[in-house]
Amino acid sequence: MALSISLAVTNVQAAETDVLTKGSSNERGGDIYRANCVLCHGEKGVGDGRMAKVITEPPPANLIKSKRSKAYMQKIITYGGGIMGRSPQMPVWGQELDEQQIKDVVEYIYRLRVQ
């Protein structure tokens, strides 16, 4: 019985890992962006998400017009806005997302800039 439970848990963990690693960096980043960032930054990244009506000082960043580097974006996503001297409303996503997920989100945002 214990062996079958152990195998079942291992299979579930393998399936979860497989889902997280499938697709391109841009696809994974888009999924993460839609799940975590759209509320403030909006679907197209222009800072017009639903929370933009509430978060006004400062408003959510327009990620399309931003000239920040990928390294900067990785830091602000990881550590949050407050520690970076930006909006304290920007969450510390490094507690929720791993390094690869953050890189994937940054790649997705850069793709939005090109569209």
Side-chain angles (χ1 to χ4, degrees):
M1 177 74 157
L3 179 59
S4 64
I5 292 172
S6 177
L7 289 173
V9 169
T10 301
N11 289 338
V12 169
Q13 290 170 337
E16 288 174 351
T17 300
D18 195 38
V19 167
L20 292 175
T21 59
K22 280 190 176 178
S24 69
S25 176
N26 188 55
E27 290 169 331
R28 292 187 310 265
D31 290 343
I32 296 165
Y33 180 89
R34 284 184 289 280
N36 299 298
C37 310
V38 166
L39 193 59
C40 295
H41 296 286
E43 189 68 34
K44 302 291 183 189
V46 297
D48 64 348
R50 290 185 304 160
M51 288 302 293
K53 294 175 182 164
V54 178
I55 301 172
T56 58
E57 294 298 324
N62 181 330
L63 303 174
I64 305 308
K65 289 185 178 180
S66 175
K67 302 296 183 206
R68 300 290 181 167
S69 70
K70 289 182 181 182
Y72 178 88
M73 291 178 73
Q74 288 174 357
K75 285 182 182 177
I76 198 165
I77 293 168
T78 301
Y79 302 115
I83 201 163
M84 298 292 291
R86 305 286 295 195
S87 174
Q89 300 294 329
M90 172 71 183
V92 178
W93 288 109
Q95 296 174 350
E96 303 291 325
L97 304 172
D98 66 32
E99 186 177 347
Q100 184 59 54
Q101 290 173 313
I102 292 169
K103 287 180 181 180
D104 291 345
V105 171
V106 170
E107 289 302 320
Y108 178 77
I109 292 167
Y110 263 71
R111 289 279 177 102
L112 284 177
R113 291 179 178 181
V114 181
Q115 293 180 358

